[in-house]
Every structure is written in structure tokens, then in C-alpha cells.
Amino acid sequence: MKKCYAILAGILLWQAHAFAQAPGSTAPRQGQGQGQQGRPNMPQIGHLYGKLVDAKTGKPIEYASVTLLRQKDSSLVTGMLTKPNGDFSLENLPFGTMILRVNFMGYTNVQKKVSITPQATEQDLGNIKLQQNVKTLQSVEVTGQKSAFAMGIDKKVFNVDRNLSSVGGTAQDVLKNVPSVNIDLDGNVTVRNASPNIFVDGKPSTLTLDQIPADAIESVELVTNPSAKYDAEGMSGILNIVLKKNRKAGFNGAVNAGIGTGNKYNGGGNINIRQGKFNVFANYNINANRNWADGTTNRSNYSNGQKSDTNYLFQNSNSTSKPLFQFGRFGLDYMLDNRNTISISQNIVAGDFKNNEDLRSTFADKNHTVTGISDRLNNNDFSFRNYTTTLSFKHTFAQPNKEWTADINYNTSKNNRNGDYLTQAQNAAGSPLGQALLQNNTTNGKTTFVTFQTDYTNPIGKNGKLELGAKATLRDYTSMYNVYDKDTISGEFINNPQLSNNYKYNEQIYAGYANFANTIGNFGYQAGLRVEQYVYAGENEGTKYKPTRPVPGFFPSIFLSEKLKNDQELQLNYSRRVNRPNFFQLIPYRDYSDPQNQREGNPNLKPEYTNSFELSYVKNWGNNNFLGSVYFRNTNDMISTISTPIGADTLLTQYINANRSNSYGAELTMKNQVLKGWDLTTNVNLYQTDMKVNANGQNYDNSGFSWFAKINSETKLPANFTLQVNATYQAPTIALPSSGGGGGRGGGGGGFNQIPSSAQGTIKGFSTVDVAVKKDFLKNKAASVTLSLSDIFNTRQYELNQASPEFAQDYIRKRESRILKLNFSYRFGKFDASLFKKKKRDSGNDTQMVDPMQSF
């Protein structure tokens, strides 16, 4: 009997298919795509799936007909027969309003309107029960083309594919254009003038931002005040870099290549194949970006605090770096059925550098008379290898929004460096004094990150939701640094124990959380608690260090919201967060790479705790959005730095815990469609920071008001041209140290050669403007050429002014920033637009119609 039903259902579907292709039908011809409301060449990425069951027995219904028709003319979009377990899955759906129709002999038909709009990527319709009374299905929204920037009260999402100026660049170039995010010359990231916690695919990583190619990034997610579900680390929230992972049916991919001024090259490609229960993806990128940097330091050292007895130091630095990055990623998704998926992925990243620096120091007395010169040449080769393996399982339940996930992430990185310092002392006239001193240094390091995580989401009642989860993060770090001095008589290299070190540490974070959310009318609330246990142990040359354990380990969060008329919403939230000192801040080693500017870690650093409050208002109308927030952060034991003179011309920078820091401000983000084809996103952050420091018997108060603004403009021009302009301005602000997490330049050689920041300093303001234009061509806009120019006015640089009773210093740093790049990309692929899959089983055949593959 079932075979008869299957044959009848197949005949009905065949007739529907024939009607859809009949003359006069608006269905697309073979080889043509059909997008939103009949417009061709629109992306078709919607996905609906579910299961048909008998309303009385609960048993699955196989061979039932599930079809999707356009509401406008009832033409066929797609369809299938349910599998033996009752599952159905409709993929590659276009924009528009459609009718979902379920037919099976002996059951009453189910028919309901389905809306495909840019609001969600896929939808589980749950268990659809067939019975005599028609059951109404909820409206479904499936995402099509993504907007460049989507914002809400709880999360902002920046889609990288729509950002032209970062094409062929790195994650640093991406973040420069993300609203709310500021990034300095060394890749250190701040949000609202504080450091966020940076993740890659939601997991910790040892990769720095310039080691991640922009072409491998799907989107960037920013959560300024995370709930208890997220890690407690990060003063200003979570910044998550999401790598590309395609799941479109059939096969598709892209290749790209680019060239830039100053010997810069990039290339790569990606491919995705999805057939049946398997989805396989892979991508590879290579990036060679030669760059230069220069800097100057002007320092006045007051002997015994007396300005009348002053000596002067002037330094000039010129450096070049020749990095070569290779980024590879491949993975597999195996769909056991519609609701169970196992995924495994592997990332392989390699970096090789050649760095050269010439540092010239000139010394002068109180009369500005030159007393001596030192010329220091540094040449080193640096390389690293990074491997990340991720294994994931996801189970979705028939009840909408109910799911369970489990993940294991293993990340390991190895690095080594070999270089030398050649220092030549000179007299005031520039003549050499004796032989040049030669030092050789070698570094070998290894870092291992392992995370175990599980999350469970369960809807409760009509609007309630309970979230539970647990996570373990394990990290081991080892670093061996050896310095050898060349004996000027024997010519042999002798180990220098004062400059060498052998450091290792491990940290463990065990966490669990619970979140409950619900709504009462227009009022919503969410309360959560995260508990983290942090264990740390460090060792250097046999000396063990155990910093103060963070207390308390409880991190609550509360969110209150009220929906207002005319698509408006208010939200008030609070969270408690922590920023734990990193390796470079803890290591008890003094860095002498620049003898006049030494840096030393502090193994007794305590973590800093932040209480964060935020009041937000969001308004949506048409294609326009407005998000306004006022915030307040109180930080205790804030990690800062203090600089003190040692000797006549040397400055030592050390990490300390400040007494407290308060920061408060307002952030406004507006997304407008000014005209048809012209989108404008404006972000302004105004903030006041007050910091109090007591160190070495002295009190320092550093306070100041500042503001930060970004404008991103995208204009659609005739002939498939797109123009983007991104502008940034940072007003003068007090210098707050970066946590160093997720930033930094690969191959920097140990983390001490970054831009200095101090409780005593003020950073001068700067501005930068990037512009890019793209031309799409070929069928379906499969190919594109992008021409971009970064920092067109060559104004991007870093300037720090420091002052204390013992010294005054002006520090200027400039990296190559005005870069012209030309990039080409080509997208290819075919989608499987089959209405039915032909199956042959021992018990019989299920004959189904098959459409040819559609072009991408």
C-alpha cells in the first residue's frame, strides 16, 4: 500500500513539475537563477527542514509530498518526498513569500505561507503532525544576502565579504573598519578604550591578527557586555572572528589573487562540496606583505628630579619586515539526519619572517652637546607553525530553538627565532670606539591550548529559555631564550646568563554557567551566573611563581529590556568581568633589546576586575537603524605600566596594578540608507577615563576626556561598480595599556617591541581614510576586480607624550600605511537543484524527477 501511495505522490509531483515548466509559467528555465520577487541572479541560500509524523501514533510518515510554491503564481520552487524516517529538507531557497504544501493520501493536507527574508539562515520546522485538522505552521524567515553591518542591543555583526578595503589584507585590516573597534599600529585592539577578549571561531587561539588573512574571515562578532554564557575574560567584552565555512548544496568556491605597492602579494582560494549527508570544505591563502617602520624618541632625563641638571637622548629607528604567511583550512560535516551533525576541521598556519632594524642613539649633556653615539643593528629570522583541530557535535530537537552542542578544540603553536645584535659605540664625531660588540640570540617556544565545551538550550513555556553549559580551558607555554656574546679575543660565543631565560607556565580555567530568560508582555529579563576557577603556575630557571588567585570566581550578569511602540527597545544590563595578566606581563625577565628602553614583567601581578553597566536604546525604521548606549566601567587593580629612569639615560618600564580606573561614556551607531544604493554607517564613542596609581612611593592621577568616530560609506554605481570610503578619527586620549591578547605583530620577537603605554602618558590624536572601488562582471557577477588605497593622506601614526618629575619623553612611531592594492576574485560552482533524489532499495524503487544542475 505504501508503494501505491508513493507512486501516486510521485505522479502528483510530476504533474506539478510539468505545470511549473509549462508555457506561460514564471518558473525559471534551466540554467537560470531566480531571486527575490522574480529578480534573476539573486543568491538562493534559504533552508527549511523538519519531520512528518502521525498525529496519533507519533510514527514518521514516509513518501509524503512536501512542495514549496511561489505565492504569486503557484509556480513550483522545489519539493521532495519524505525519507523513511519522515525527514525532509528544502535547500537553496530564494527570497520571497511562498506556500509550503504537505500532501499524503489518507491525511488532511497542510498548507501555510512561508516568508524568506534576511533574518535567519535556516529554520527547523519541527515535527509536523498530519491529522484531520489542519495545523498552522509558524511563519519562517530565512536569510538571503547578508548586509554589511547588522546591529542589535546584544551583538553587532560585521560581514567581511562586503568590506572592500580589507580584500587581500589581514584581520588587522578588517578590524580597522569595524564600528566600535580601534586598533593601533601593532595590532592591539580596544573597544571603548579597553581591551576585549579575542576569539577565533569562539575559541582561544595563539594566532595574532596579522596571521589571519582577511579572505578567510566570514564575519566579526562584537558583544560589548556579554552574558554569563560567554567567558568572563575581557574588560570591554568579546570580539569573535568567524572563519568561512560554506554549506551550500552542490559544489562552489572562489579563487583570488592580488598585488600591492611595496612588494606585497596575496592569493588563495576555497571550495565547498555538499552532497547528501556530507559537506566538505577547504581553503588556502598565502600572503607576502613586505613593510617598513620608523620611529623617533626624544627624552629629557632630570638628574635627581632637577631640570637644571638634564641630559638628553635622541633615538631614530628604521626597520623592515618581510613576512610570508600561509593559511590552510579543511573540514567535514556529516549530517546523520536533519537534527544531528558531526563536524571536524583542521587549520594549519605557517609564518616565516626576515626582520632588520637599525637603531641609532645620540646622547647629549645639559647644554645639548653630543657626548656619544651608539649604532645597533638587529637582524633576525623568525618562524612559527600553528595547528588547530576542532571536533563538534550538534543535536537539534523537534521543539524549535532547543539544542545541545559539544566541542573539543586543540590548538598548538611552535616558534623559533635566530638573530644577532651588532652594537658599535662612537664618539661625538661619529668615529668608532673599539670593536663592535656582537650578540647572537635564539628562541624556541611552544604553546598548547585545549578547550572542552558543552552547551544546552531549552525553551521553557511560551517565551522562556534556559541555557546551561560547562567549559574547560587548558594552556601550557614554554619559552627558551638564549643570548651569546662574542668574545672579541677568541671569537667564540659565550652564553650570557643575565640575558637568557627558560620560562614556562600553565593555566587552567574551569567554568560553568546558567542563564534564564523570559518575557512578560513587552518586558524581558535575563539573569545568569558564571563560575570560573583559575589555576596558574609559572617557573623561570627553577624559580616558581604563583600570582594571587582571582577572588571571587563568580561572574553574574543581568539584562532587562522593554519593547516600545514603533519598533523601539530599551535595555539595561550589568556584568562582572576579569582580565588576567598574560605571559609577557608576568614573565620576570628584563628585556635589553633596546638598552635605553628596557622592559620587565611582574610575576606578582594580580588580575583586574571590572563591573560593567550599560543602558541601550535601539530604533529600527525601514532600512535605517539607530543604537545608542551609555556605559560605565569600574575596574579595580587595573593592569598598567609605570616608567622610571635607571642610570643617566635608561628608562625601565614595569607592569603594575593601578589602584582603580573608572571609565564612562556614550556610544552612538547609526546605519542609514541615505539614497537608494547608498548606505552609510556612522559610529561615535565619547568617553571619560579616570585612573589612580600608587607605585614606588609616588601617586599618579591620569584623567581625560576623548572621543572616537568612524564612518563607513558604500555606494552602488552604474555598470556594476561599488565605491566604499572608510574614515576614522581618534581624538587625543590618555594611554591605557593593552592586554596584548589576540594582537601584536607576528615575528615581533618576544612581545616587548610593541608600542609603549603608560599611566603617565597621553596619546596624540590621529585620522585615516581608506577608499576602495570594485567592479563586478561576467555572468551572475562571478568575477570582480577591487582597487583599494589605504590611508590616502598618510596620516596614520602613533605619538605618545609622557611626563613625570624624573623625565619627559615624546615617542613617535610610523608604519607603512598608504598602500595601493589590486585584487581579482572569481566565484564558481553549481547548485544541486534536484526536486527529488532517486533511490534504489532492495524492497523497491522510488522514482523521482531530477532537474539539471543550475549555474552558480
Side-chain angles (χ1 to χ4, degrees):
M1 184 62 69
K2 286 185 178 181
K3 291 183 180 180
C4 294
Y5 290 160
I7 293 173
L8 289 175
I11 293 173
L12 290 173
L13 285 171
W14 176 81
Q15 289 177 337
H17 182 264
F19 175 80
Q21 302 299 328
S25 171
T26 59
R29 295 188 301 271
Q30 293 181 3
Q32 292 181 332
Q34 187 71 17
Q36 184 180 13
Q37 298 178 355
R39 290 182 294 176
N41 305 330
M42 292 294 291
Q44 304 186 36
I45 59 175
H47 182 200
L48 303 178
Y49 60 93
K51 186 174 186 176
L52 300 187
V53 297
D54 187 288
K56 293 183 178 180
T57 65
K59 293 182 178 180
I61 301 175
E62 59 178 329
Y63 304 124
S65 167
V66 180
T67 55
L68 201 59
L69 310 174
R70 288 183 178 82
Q71 184 185 39
K72 181 179 179 181
D73 53 18
S74 297
S75 60
L76 183 67
V77 177
T78 186
M80 67 173 293
L81 299 181
T82 56
K83 299 178 182 179
N85 63 354
D87 283 351
F88 67 89
S89 179
L90 307 176
E91 302 179 1
N92 305 325
L93 305 180
F95 285 171
T97 302
M98 287 164 280
I99 302 297
L100 180 73
R101 180 180 295 170
V102 179
N103 303 86
F104 193 60
M105 191 167 296
Y107 291 88
T108 302
N109 296 343
V110 172
Q111 179 174 305
K112 205 60 184 176
K113 183 169 67 175
V114 177
S115 177
I116 311 287
T117 62
Q119 302 297 324
T121 56
E122 59 182 25
Q123 181 70 32
D124 185 352
L125 300 181
N127 288 346
I128 300 177
K129 300 178 180 180
L130 299 188
Q131 54 184 4
Q132 291 184 355
N133 295 323
V134 176
K135 294 295 182 182
T136 302
L137 299 179
Q138 295 181 347
S139 177
V140 179
E141 297 179 346
V142 178
T143 293
Q145 183 178 357
K146 300 177 181 178
S147 62
F149 179 64
M151 65 179 181
I153 286 182
D154 58 340
K155 181 188 291 186
K156 301 174 185 177
V157 180
F158 184 82
N159 293 302
V160 178
D161 285 344
R162 297 285 298 277
N163 182 253
L164 304 184
S165 60
S166 64
V167 174
T170 68
Q172 288 188 19
D173 301 302
V174 171
L175 293 181
K176 288 176 187 176
N177 299 313
V178 175
S180 304
V181 177
N182 197 0
I183 181 169
D184 69 19
L185 298 183
D186 278 328
N188 296 310
V189 180
T190 56
V191 174
R192 297 178 177 176
N193 206 35
S195 299
N197 195 12
I198 298 179
F199 284 148
V200 177
D201 280 338
K203 309 293 189 303
S205 175
T206 57
L207 293 175
T208 58
L209 295 177
D210 61 351
Q211 297 170 6
I212 305 174
D215 298 322
I217 302 174
E218 176 75 22
S219 62
V220 176
E221 300 174 343
L222 174 62
V223 185
T224 54
N225 207 8
S227 70
K229 180 178 181 179
Y230 297 91
D231 287 2
E233 191 98 23
M235 289 177 60
S236 59
I238 302 290
L239 193 61
N240 184 34
I241 297 173
V242 181
L243 301 179
K244 289 181 178 178
K245 181 179 179 180
N246 203 336
R247 284 189 172 180
K248 295 177 182 178
F251 77 92
N252 57 90
V255 293
N256 58 274
I259 187 172
T261 54
N263 295 323
K264 297 173 178 62
Y265 309 94
N266 69 275
N270 63 80
I271 189 168
N272 180 84
I273 301 173
R274 182 172 180 179
Q275 185 67 39
K277 295 185 176 182
F278 291 93
N279 181 68
V280 181
F281 60 92
N283 63 61
Y284 171 80
N285 289 274
I286 186 170
N287 193 309
N289 282 337
R290 178 174 179 172
N291 55 76
W292 57 260
D294 58 48
T296 59
T297 300
N298 274 300
R299 185 159 72 232
S300 301
N301 299 301
Y302 310 133
S303 180
N304 299 318
Q306 301 297 319
K307 293 187 178 181
S308 59
D309 187 9
T310 304
N311 63 75
Y312 300 94
L313 169 69
F314 175 77
Q315 289 185 303
N316 183 65
S317 171
N318 296 282
S319 63
T320 60
S321 178
K322 300 178 182 178
L324 176 66
F325 290 109
Q326 298 183 75
F327 184 97
R329 186 169 191 249
F330 58 91
L332 168 70
D333 298 317
Y334 177 61
M335 282 69 72
L336 300 173
D337 51 43
N338 278 347
R339 298 196 178 112
N340 293 281
T341 302
I342 297 176
S343 302
I344 186 169
S345 65
Q346 178 68 53
N347 295 357
I348 303 175
V349 186
D352 297 281
F353 310 79
K354 290 184 179 297
N355 303 313
N356 308 96
E357 182 187 24
D358 184 358
L359 175 63
R360 187 177 181 86
S361 302
T362 303
F363 308 93
D365 60 18
K366 61 181 180 181
N367 298 317
H368 295 276
T369 301
V370 175
T371 59
I373 299 172
S374 174
D375 194 21
R376 186 180 181 94
L377 300 177
N378 176 22
N379 302 294
N380 68 77
D381 296 330
F382 176 85
S383 65
F384 77 91
R385 300 293 183 267
N386 182 282
Y387 307 90
T388 303
T389 306
T390 302
L391 178 63
S392 305
F393 173 76
K394 180 178 181 180
H395 172 73
T396 58
F397 297 83
Q399 184 179 358
N401 302 318
K402 182 178 181 180
E403 67 177 35
W404 172 61
T405 61
D407 303 273
I408 300 175
N409 187 78
Y410 179 83
N411 177 284
T412 182
S413 180
K414 296 181 180 180
N415 66 82
N416 60 79
R417 177 163 58 103
N418 189 351
D420 54 64
Y421 291 100
L422 182 66
T423 305
Q424 177 65 66
Q426 304 172 12
N427 60 21
S431 299
L433 297 174
Q435 295 186 21
L437 300 178
L438 179 62
Q439 283 184 337
N440 178 264
N441 59 82
T442 61
T443 302
N444 290 282
K446 182 180 179 180
T447 302
T448 301
F449 257 130
V450 184
T451 61
F452 303 88
Q453 183 172 350
T454 182
D455 299 278
Y456 172 74
T457 302
N458 183 32
I460 297 178
K462 184 177 180 180
N463 299 311
K465 180 175 68 173
L466 175 65
E467 296 176 306
L468 301 171
K471 183 178 181 180
T473 303
L474 312 176
R475 181 180 186 182
D476 288 297
Y477 188 103
T478 60
S479 176
M480 180 176 291
Y481 179 62
N482 289 308
V483 178
Y484 301 90
D485 298 321
K486 184 177 181 179
D487 189 285
T488 56
I489 299 177
S490 66
E492 296 180 355
F493 284 91
I494 302 173
N495 182 264
N496 187 330
Q498 182 182 2
L499 302 183
S500 303
N501 71 84
N502 183 3
Y503 194 87
K504 60 182 178 181
Y505 80 89
N506 62 79
E507 64 180 5
Q508 303 166 30
I509 304 175
Y510 302 97
Y513 74 88
N515 259 337
F516 179 75
N518 205 350
T519 59
I520 304 175
N522 291 325
F523 175 74
Y525 64 90
Q526 176 181 283
L529 177 65
R530 186 178 187 89
V531 182
E532 290 192 352
Q533 178 62 45
Y534 176 67
V535 180
Y536 173 94
E539 182 178 338
N540 182 38
E541 300 292 349
T543 303
K544 296 184 179 181
Y545 303 92
K546 286 190 176 183
T548 304
R549 179 172 297 177
V551 177
F554 297 89
F555 303 94
S557 64
I558 300 174
F559 292 76
L560 305 175
S561 64
E562 178 71 22
K563 290 187 177 180
L564 308 175
K565 295 181 179 179
N566 301 320
D567 207 358
Q568 304 175 86
E569 186 175 349
L570 279 174
Q571 187 181 88
L572 175 66
N573 56 58
Y574 160 79
S575 67
R576 178 175 171 82
R577 306 195 60 75
V578 63
N579 183 38
R580 303 179 179 98
N582 65 33
F583 167 72
F584 296 113
Q585 296 165 337
L586 289 169
I587 183 172
Y589 163 74
R590 183 171 298 186
D591 177 63
Y592 295 90
S593 57
D594 178 359
Q596 276 65 54
N597 293 280
Q598 301 173 16
R599 185 175 289 254
E600 187 176 65
N602 179 5
N604 297 314
L605 274 180
K606 296 183 291 185
E608 58 187 23
Y609 289 95
T610 298
N611 295 294
S612 181
F613 300 85
E614 185 174 336
L615 175 64
S616 300
Y617 165 79
V618 65
K619 165 67 177 175
N620 301 306
W621 68 101
N623 294 317
N624 305 290
N625 312 90
F626 172 75
L627 174 62
S629 302
V630 292
Y631 59 89
F632 172 77
R633 287 195 310 265
N634 164 254
T635 303
N636 297 310
D637 293 324
M638 181 177 182
I639 298 174
S640 183
T641 57
I642 199 79
S643 298
T644 54
I646 55 173
D649 49 35
T650 300
L651 203 63
L652 174 63
T653 299
Q654 298 170 298
Y655 287 99
I656 60 169
N657 286 110
N659 296 58
R660 68 167 178 81
S661 173
N662 291 329
S663 180
Y664 47 92
E667 184 178 28
L668 310 174
T669 305
M670 177 79 77
K671 180 184 172 185
N672 300 102
Q673 187 178 71
V674 182
L675 298 171
K676 185 177 181 180
W678 181 17
D679 294 329
L680 195 67
T681 300
T682 308
N683 175 257
V684 179
N685 181 28
L686 308 99
Y687 55 90
Q688 171 75 26
T689 302
D690 302 317
M691 183 165 57
K692 292 186 177 295
V693 180
N694 186 319
N696 300 329
Q698 297 190 37
N699 294 318
Y700 300 92
D701 292 342
N702 201 2
S703 301
F705 170 81
S706 185
W707 63 283
F708 168 76
K710 277 189 178 183
I711 297 178
N712 299 347
S713 173
E714 179 180 314
T715 308
K716 299 292 185 182
L717 302 175
N720 292 327
F721 279 95
T722 302
L723 173 68
Q724 278 191 359
V725 179
N726 302 313
T728 299
Y729 176 73
Q730 170 65 68
T733 182
I734 69 172
L736 294 176
S738 168
S739 68
R745 299 189 62 83
F752 289 108
N753 297 327
Q754 297 179 5
I755 290 172
S757 53
S758 169
Q760 303 151 289
T762 301
I763 301 174
K764 189 177 180 179
F766 74 91
S767 62
T768 182
V769 177
D770 303 332
V771 63
V773 61
K774 182 177 76 168
K775 164 68 174 178
D776 295 317
F777 57 98
L778 297 185
K779 183 179 179 181
N780 299 328
K781 301 180 181 180
S784 63
V785 173
T786 303
L787 181 67
S788 63
L789 178 62
S790 61
D791 193 15
I792 59 177
F793 300 110
N794 203 26
T795 54
R796 183 177 175 83
Q797 70 176 27
Y798 178 93
E799 182 172 348
L800 173 68
N801 307 119
Q802 292 176 284
S804 79
E806 300 170 310
F807 75 97
Q809 175 173 270
D810 293 329
Y811 175 92
I812 300 176
R813 182 91 166 273
K814 172 69 177 171
R815 287 191 184 275
E816 184 179 10
S817 58
R818 183 157 58 185
I819 302 169
L820 182 67
K821 294 186 295 185
L822 180 66
N823 282 272
F824 169 80
S825 66
Y826 175 74
R827 298 171 297 279
F828 61 87
K830 292 184 178 180
F831 290 120
D832 186 356
S834 302
L835 292 179
F836 316 110
K837 295 178 181 179
K838 188 175 182 179
K839 296 181 180 180
K840 293 183 179 181
R841 301 188 304 177
D842 293 339
S843 58
N845 294 334
D846 180 14
T847 305
Q848 301 169 0
M849 297 291 295
V850 178
D851 277 351
M853 300 283 280
Q854 272 187 325
S855 297
F856 178 77

